[in-house]
Every structure is written in C-alpha cells, then in structure tokens.
Amino acid sequence: MQPEMSYERGYYRPECTECSRVCPAGAIRRITPAEKSTVAIGQAVWIPDNCIVPRDRVQCTNCQRHCPAGAITLVPMQPDEKESLKIPVVDKELCIGCGACEYLCPARPFSAIYVEGNVRHHSI
C-alpha cells in the first residue's frame, strides 16, 4: 500500500493531484497542481548508448517536446556541423523528475532517458 512510480506504465502528470486527495493516512500532503509543478521527485538522466539519435542517426525530439518543466533542450551532437542531429541535455535545476521523457522515449529495448528518484523531494 505504498505509492510507486513506474514510468513504463505512465508518468507523474503535474496537473493530477488525485493521490494527495485520496491518501487515507495523510502520508501524501494535499497539494495543488501549481504546487506539484514545482516539486522535484527525481532527476532525468540521458543514456547516449540507448538514444536513437546517436545510435541510429535519426532525429528525435520526444523528450524535449513532452517535458512539462522545459528542463530538456536539444543541442547539436556535433557542434561544428551546421546540419548536425540534436541530442538532449537535461537542466538539473528545472527537472522535476516527472518521467514524461522516459515514458515517451521511442528507444527500445530500453529508454534513452530515465528518472533517478530523489531521496527527499524538494521545490524548484
């Protein structure tokens, strides 16, 4: 009966506060969607060897496009080349660890980006 994040099945949607509303023990503090959008529960980590951009030479923007915190930007994989493919960079100051990047990553068999949980949640 403890909450568990499984980004293979979904992700932490900043607009949803249902857990805080229904927790019978009060272990999950009531929170508004605005507050939830500023709570970092983890940190996204990019794994270059799994990413389809460097691995398959295919441009992908899923992680950046779906990041609700704007924590992922795309930078040229080869800065000296004008037409270089772009790879993600995670801004650790903005990432809330929601897992949208991991859940929506098309890389298989493993996502190219995953979330490491924070021992203690904190506001950004």
Side-chain angles (χ1 to χ4, degrees), residues 18-101:
E18 195 65 17
C19 291
S20 74
R21 192 183 70 71
V22 301
C23 180
I28 300 174
R29 176 177 64 82
R30 283 207 172 231
I31 191 169
T32 67
E35 290 172 309
K36 187 175 177 186
S37 294
T38 65
V39 175
I41 65 168
Q43 181 67 61
V45 177
W46 180 60
I47 308 297
D49 290 342
N50 293 354
C51 185
I52 65 171
V53 177
R55 186 186 69 199
D56 301 338
R57 300 283 186 214
V58 173
Q59 187 60 68
C60 178
T61 63
N62 267 13
C63 57
Q64 182 264 338
R65 202 165 15 106
H66 295 288
C67 179
I72 299 175
T73 55
L74 300 176
V75 299
M77 187 166 63
Q78 299 182 339
D80 297 340
E81 289 185 22
K82 189 173 129 180
E83 300 295 321
S84 176
L85 294 171
K86 296 184 186 296
I87 54 174
V89 173
V90 179
D91 183 331
K92 296 179 186 309
E93 298 295 318
L94 295 177
C95 182
I96 60 172
C98 71
C101 54

Side-chain angles (χ1 to χ4, degrees), residues 7 40 65 110 124:
Y7 298 122
R65 202 165 15 106
F110 303 107
I124 57 169

